[in-house]
Amino acid sequence: VQLQAFGGGLVQPGGSLRLSCAASGSMFSIPIMGWYRQAPGKQRELVASVTSGGSTNYADSVKGRFSISRDNAKNTVDLRMNDLKPEDTAVYYCNVDVRRSWSSTITYKYWGQGTQVTVSS
């Protein structure tokens, strides 16, 4: 399974960015797709996730500002980030939990390469 992430960059406080991630390879299904982030000196944390059924989960710090969505047919997940704050500065990682075959419910976690988001004036 390969993950390719797009987006990120430098934006001023209050601005917006969109991150996109595409999963490819041998997969039966992707029950969960999401985004994590890691700021310097901090642990990696969940930003948002979405199930194949469309249920979403957000970190408290981004609720009301970020929106996650996915396209099950294309195996892609987007993170729209609005009203960005300096504390959102981090490397953002795409993450998927993949089910490899119909005969097993075990899922495997895969990570994208990370994309830098910097919020600064």
Side-chain angles (χ1 to χ4, degrees):
V1 175
Q2 296 81 41
L3 300 179
Q4 189 168 13
F6 306 89
L10 174 64
V11 65
Q12 293 185 343
S16 299
L17 282 175
R18 186 180 80 171
L19 304 181
S20 298
C21 178
S24 61
S26 178
M27 301 172 286
F28 173 71
S29 68
I30 312 176
I32 301 174
M33 304 183 82
W35 290 90
Y36 286 69
R37 68 185 180 187
Q38 187 167 19
K42 295 188 176 181
Q43 289 189 333
R44 190 173 297 188
E45 63 175 357
L46 174 68
V47 177
S49 64
V50 56
T51 69
S52 56
S55 296
T56 57
N57 181 42
Y58 294 94
D60 288 343
S61 59
V62 306
K63 284 181 180 177
R65 300 187 298 121
F66 290 12
S67 177
I68 191 169
S69 61
R70 63 185 283 175
D71 185 324
N72 290 330
K74 297 180 179 179
N75 291 332
T76 59
V77 59
D78 283 0
L79 183 69
R80 297 180 184 270
M81 305 181 290
N82 298 318
D83 189 23
L84 283 159
K85 303 177 180 181
E87 51 264 41
D88 295 317
T89 296
V91 177
Y92 284 70
Y93 296 91
C94 176
N95 169 262
V96 297
D97 287 355
V98 170
R99 187 176 161 189
R100 292 179 177 172
S101 73
W102 66 269
S103 60
S104 173
T105 58
I106 296 174
T107 59
Y108 298 85
K109 191 175 289 288
Y110 294 90
W111 296 92
Q113 77 274 23
T115 183
Q116 178 71 45
V117 171
T118 302
V119 184
S120 175
S121 55

